[in-house]
Amino acid sequence: MIAETRKIRLIMELRQGGVTQTDVLTAIEKTPREQFVPELFRESAYDNRPLPIGGDQTISQPLIVGLMTQALALHKRCKVLEIGTGSGYQTAILARLSRRVYSVERIRNLYVDAVRRFDSLGIGNVTAQIGDGGLGWPEQAPFDRIIVTAAADTVPQALLDQLRVGGCLVIPVGAEGGTQTLWRIARTAEGFEEEPLTSVRFVPLVSGTVG
Ligand code: SAH
């Protein structure tokens, strides 16, 4: 099957899975996922599944990328914090739908590859750094939106602190290999409102950096 046909099939699968916002679907359609996966997996780039990216990490399943992006309700004025750059695929989609994305990755090799991809694709509104994302990015806070693409045991307090009132955080919570739930946490003037979205399976959020 040629790439374009695979891509159309993927978009249909995402629609069926609940990704209905046109701007989110368009961002996914315009982001070349084959550039974010290892050469060996190019053929599978438009399959609706996670794929290995090295360092025991994975590029997220497209449906989950779509649902998380949709849950963020982004607009062009948003300043976004992403924890877990990984391949940079989710980052590239966020970058299309917001003003600026700050992305933190703990593994140096993944960070280096992701930054190279942003450069080669001409993505200019992403600032990435190596660090422990559980600490957020205090120098750039507050953020309008925060997304975490690794599962935490509990929601890191630093991320709640760095979220602007009126903004929201989308994060998978739960133990590795166990049941994990994707949560949307909105910050209001009164406090935080938590809403469970769906069951998910993510690699764990790990503290400290590698490399
Ligand atoms: N959104 C990525 C998914 C990557 S998997 C993609 O689409 O490719 C999760 C990523 O989170 C991994 O790259 C992992 O190294 C990173 N990660 C785990 N714990 C982290 C932490 N505390 N700080 C920053 N990144 C972390």
Side-chain angles (χ1 to χ4, degrees):
M1 211 187 297
I2 58 163
E4 205 50 35
T5 315
R6 286 172 196 251
K7 203 183 251 194
I8 291 165
R9 187 186 59 184
L10 176 64
I11 297 296
M12 278 170 56
E13 283 174 22
L14 299 195
R15 269 185 209 280
Q16 279 160 9
V19 184
T20 51
Q21 277 174 24
T22 311
D23 60 342
V24 175
L25 289 167
T26 304
I28 291 174
E29 204 177 331
K30 291 197 169 160
T31 305
R33 193 167 186 253
E34 73 274 10
Q35 307 268 336
F36 293 85
V37 303
E39 195 87 50
L40 190 64
F41 294 104
R42 291 273 151 87
E43 281 284 301
S44 311
Y46 293 100
D47 289 354
N48 186 21
R49 59 180 177 110
L51 293 167
I53 53 171
D56 273 340
Q57 305 302 320
T58 52
I59 177 172
S60 305
Q61 182 189 359
L63 176 61
I64 298 301
V65 171
L67 291 173
M68 290 178 88
T69 308
Q70 182 164 279
L72 284 173
L74 295 166
H75 56 72
K76 282 311 263 179
R77 294 180 308 285
C78 283
K79 178 179 178 182
V80 182
L81 173 64
E82 177 191 41
I83 307 304
T85 318
S87 66
Y89 177 66
Q90 170 79 73
T91 325
I93 287 165
L94 298 171
R96 279 191 173 274
L97 298 167
S98 53
R99 178 166 56 85
R100 180 154 284 279
V101 182
Y102 294 86
S103 188
V104 185
E105 171 54 55
R106 65 184 287 271
I107 301 178
R108 177 176 294 273
N109 287 345
L110 294 178
Y111 158 86
V112 169
D113 287 351
V115 168
R116 193 164 349 100
R117 291 184 183 113
F118 302 146
D119 288 346
S120 74
L121 292 169
I123 300 170
N125 60 338
V126 171
T127 310
Q129 78 168 10
I130 298 165
D132 179 354
L135 307 174
W137 194 323
E139 299 80 4
Q140 291 297 340
F143 297 96
D144 302 302
R145 304 287 188 270
I146 301 178
I147 176 172
V148 183
T149 68
D153 288 334
T154 55
V155 181
Q157 184 61 43
L159 300 184
L160 294 171
D161 292 343
Q162 292 173 31
L163 184 61
R164 196 190 294 278
V165 171
C168 70
L169 160 67
V170 173
I171 182 171
V173 180
E176 184 180 9
T179 314
Q180 299 170 355
T181 303
L182 188 64
W183 290 87
R184 181 179 189 275
I185 303 174
R187 184 168 195 172
T188 67
E190 288 76 40
F192 295 92
E193 286 171 7
E194 302 179 350
E195 176 197 355
L197 299 178
T198 183
S199 297
V200 286
R201 217 185 170 94
F202 274 89
V203 296
L205 188 72
V206 182
S207 52
T209 55
V210 180

